Amino acid sequence: MLNYKKLGFVNTKKMYTEALKKNYALPGYNFNNMEQLQAILSACLQTQNSVVLQVSKKAYEYMEENLIYHLVQGAIATMKSQAKKMKLKPIEVALHLDHGDSYELCVSAIKNGFSSVMIDGSHLSYKENIKLTKKVVDFAHKYNVTVEGELGVLAGVEDYVSAENQVYTRPEDVKDFVGKTGVDSLAIAIGTSHGAYKFKPGQQPKIRLDILREIEKKLKNFPIVMHGSSSIPKEAVNKINKYGGKMEHAVGIDPKQLCEAVKTPVCKVNIDSDSRMTMTAGIRESLAKNPENFDPRGYMGFAREALVEMYKKKNIEVLGCGK
Ligand code: G3H
Ligand code: 13P
Ligand code: ZN
C-alpha cells in the first residue's frame, strides 16, 4: 500500500473547499502520456491553480499501474524546481482515478498511490449504485482518499463509458445519495456529454443550468463535478481536417455556458477530448510541415507547447481558477 502523501499528492478536500469559497472550478484533466502530464503541470503552475490529474481505466491499463505514480511524482518534482526558478508557488496536485467501474479497480488505484477515486455506478440501479459507491467510500476513507460518485447518465462514447441516451440527474435524489454513500463530491448529468461529437448537426447544445440550480439548493455548498465538458475548439477541428485528419461535425460545450456553471458549487470540470484534439492537431501540423522529420521529440514537443497554451486559456477564461 503506497501512501499518496509521501509521494507528494493531496486529496481533493482542501482544493474543493477553496473552489466552493471562491466560485471557480478546478480542472480535471485526463492524461495518457508524459507530454500531456508535463503540459498540464506546466500550464497550471503558470496559472497558479491546483489540478486534478485524471487517469481513466483505459489510461490505467495503457500506462501501467506501477508507472503512473512514478511519472506523476517525477512531474511534480520538475514542477517544483520550475516554480523555484520562476519564483512561483508550487501547486497542489491530486491523482484521481476517472470512471472507476469496480470496487477492485478503485482499491488497486488506492494501493498504487492515487489520492482520489471516482466510482461510476451511474449505469446501475439507484440502489445498486448506492451499495457499490458506499463500499468504495468505506475503503477509501480509511486511507484519507476522497471519492467522487455519479448520479444520472451522460450520453456519448468512451472506451469504457458509453450511453446512447442521457438521463438527467434527479435533484430529488442527490441529498439521499450523498447521505447514504458518504461521497466527497458528486458528478451530475445536466446535458454535457463525453467525446468529440457531443451534439448532432443542427442540434442546439444547452447545459441544463436549471437542474444544476435545483441540485445546488438541495445539497448546499457540496462539491459538484461536471464531466464531458470539452469545448472541441473549431481551430483544432479545422487543423486536424486540414492536415489529413477526418473529424466531421465535431462539436462541444459552449464555453460561455461553462463559465455560468462554474459560478455554482461546480468544483471540478472534466476535460479530456480538448486535450486529445489539441495534441493530435499539433502532431499533424508538425509532421505535415516537416515531412523529413522522424524524431518524435520534434512533433511531440510541438504538440506539448500547444497543449500548455490550451490549458492556460481554459484555466483563466473558462474555469476562472487561473491567473
Ligand atoms: O471520460 C473520461 C475519458 O474521456 C476516458 O476516455 O476511456 O478513452 O481513456 P478513455
Ligand atoms: P470530454 O470528452 O468532454 O473531454 O469529457 C471528459 C470526461 O468527462 C472525463 O471524465
Ligand atoms: Zn467523464
Side-chain angles (χ1 to χ4, degrees), residues 8-23:
F9 317 154
V10 299
N11 68 21
T12 58
K13 263 223 155 74
K14 204 172 120 224
M15 54 173 89
Y16 286 175
T17 306
E18 227 15 44
L20 282 176
K21 236 192 275 166
K22 299 192 176 152
N23 284 329

Side-chain angles (χ1 to χ4, degrees), residues 37-151:
L37 173 61
Q38 289 173 313
I40 294 168
L41 289 193
S42 167
C44 294
L45 172 67
Q46 290 177 56
T47 53
Q48 288 285 282
N49 52 268
S50 307
V51 63
V52 181
L53 284 175
Q54 307 202 136
V55 177
S56 70
K57 174 176 173 165
K58 190 88 191 290
Y60 194 75
E61 291 164 359
Y62 180 77
M63 289 186 278
E64 297 186 340
E65 57 191 45
N66 290 317
L67 185 56
I68 298 170
Y69 69 88
H70 286 293
L71 267 176
V72 176
Q73 202 182 14
I76 291 178
T78 307
M79 177 272 293
K80 284 186 176 160
S81 63
Q82 273 176 352
K84 210 167 176 184
K85 272 194 220 135
M86 297 166 81
K87 297 196 168 40
L88 289 170
K89 228 174 100 210
I91 55 162
E92 305 227 291
V93 179
L95 178 60
H96 175 79
L97 174 72
D98 189 30
H99 292 287
D101 62 350
S102 68
Y103 172 77
E104 291 72 23
L105 179 61
C106 292
V107 168
S108 163
I110 292 166
K111 286 186 174 165
N112 280 295
F114 281 59
S115 58
S116 177
V117 292
M118 173 191 193
I119 176 69
D120 182 354
S122 62
H123 294 77
L124 302 172
S125 70
Y126 183 69
K127 237 173 141 183
E128 287 301 313
N129 189 359
I130 289 180
K131 200 170 146 197
L132 175 63
T133 306
K134 186 179 176 343
K135 193 173 167 193
V136 171
V137 168
D138 288 346
F139 181 83
H141 282 183
K142 277 194 236 159
Y143 302 97
N144 219 10
V145 167
T146 39
V147 180
E148 175 183 323
E150 177 164 343
L151 260 187

